[in-house]
Amino acid sequence: MPCDSTAIPSLSLWAAPRLSGLRIPADSAERARLLRGQSVQQVGPQGLLYVQQRELAVTSPKDGSVSILGSDDATTCHIVVLRHTGNGATCLTHCDGSDTKAEVPLIMNSIKSFSEHAECGRLEVHLVGGFSDDRQLSQKLTHQLLSEFDKQDDDIHLVTLCVTELNDREENENHFPIIYGIAVNIKTAEIYRASFQDRGPEEQLRAARALAGGPMISIYDAKTEQLRIGPCSWTPFPHVDFWLQQDDKQILENLSTSPLAEPPHFVDHIRSTLMFLKKFPSPENILFPGNKALLYRKNKDGLWEKISPGN
């Protein structure tokens, strides 16, 4: 499929260099405006694959189990969707800037594994998240993602750019993200504002792996339609007892990149994750018997169900 030769506008918002590999449509600002103006949809667990921080998942419209990929609770983080328009293969990931240089090739390769034999179509990327935070962490991550996607050999079309200043609102001289979460419908390619009550399976285990410093990982095998967790390991979390003794204000101010902008459940989430890390300082043999991964698949009701060993 021929590519549009759209002129690339200046990204003076971030004083970024002029991009060469990324193609940015002239209507990207309008797309961001329309996305910001949407109401937030509550997404139920049926057919959903929820992606946590430092995770990615990729699948295609042929998937009989998963029809929606989604993630939320992004403040300074960015949610990235990369899609191949020829076969509909779609990757969603939640990036926090820990190792963007390694993560973007991982995202690219996850889509290429589906698209090797695609005869037409193009790669389209959507970047959502961040805001005008005091430490400029959002701005830094926006820079990193744009730069790394620009370095890729493939021609990539940046369709949605709703990040940092473009995703910012101000209230009483404090800044907040407008969009905290998005979902993508694998079948229709629709991307929309979303929030999620169900962030499983193994929500605490997955959150603990990220908080303990684990790298970006792929959590889903679309060929078997199974969600795969681990096996993973971590070193005991430093000063975990000290942090568990702190009040909410101290946890918020010290364990968040953006204390004023966090969702209401942030502190409870961090406390439960710290308690999990204290309970399992070395998870290998306890959480992953035989050093084997935990496997889940969707049941007939569209909900995740653990696969017993040998199934």
Side-chain angles (χ1 to χ4, degrees), residues 4-11 19 22-32 122-126 156-161:
D4 298 331
S5 56
T6 307
I8 300 173
S10 169
L11 293 179
L19 304 179
L22 276 172
R23 294 171 176 265
I24 305 177
D27 64 347
S28 58
E30 176 64 12
R31 287 179 179 271
R122 69 182 193 179
L123 290 170
E124 294 184 345
V125 68
H126 309 261
I156 305 167
H157 292 249
L158 180 55
V159 178
T160 304
L161 185 64

Side-chain angles (χ1 to χ4, degrees), residues 76 131-141 164 175 252-259 262:
T76 56
F131 67 110
S132 298
D133 64 283
D134 292 340
R135 298 166 63 187
Q136 295 193 329
L137 297 174
S138 303
Q139 188 179 70
K140 181 180 178 181
L141 181 51
T164 311
H175 291 264
L252 188 61
E253 290 182 351
N254 290 280
L255 297 182
S256 168
T257 58
S258 50
E262 293 292 356

Side-chain angles (χ1 to χ4, degrees), residues 8 28 35-37 40 51 71 73 96 106 123 137 198 205 209 220 230 257 261 271 278 296 309:
I8 300 173
S28 58
L35 187 61
R36 292 193 305 266
V40 179
V51 177
S71 189
D73 287 358
D96 62 6
L106 194 63
L123 290 170
L137 297 174
D198 189 332
L205 168 57
R209 188 198 69 85
Y220 187 65
T257 58
R271 281 194 188 280
K278 180 180 180 178
Y296 286 80

Side-chain angles (χ1 to χ4, degrees), residues 142-158:
T142 295
H143 265 302
Q144 291 174 347
L145 286 167
L146 289 173
S147 176
E148 293 304 321
F149 274 112
D150 184 44
K151 291 176 183 177
Q152 303 306 305
D153 293 334
D154 302 86
D155 198 19
I156 305 167
H157 292 249
L158 180 55

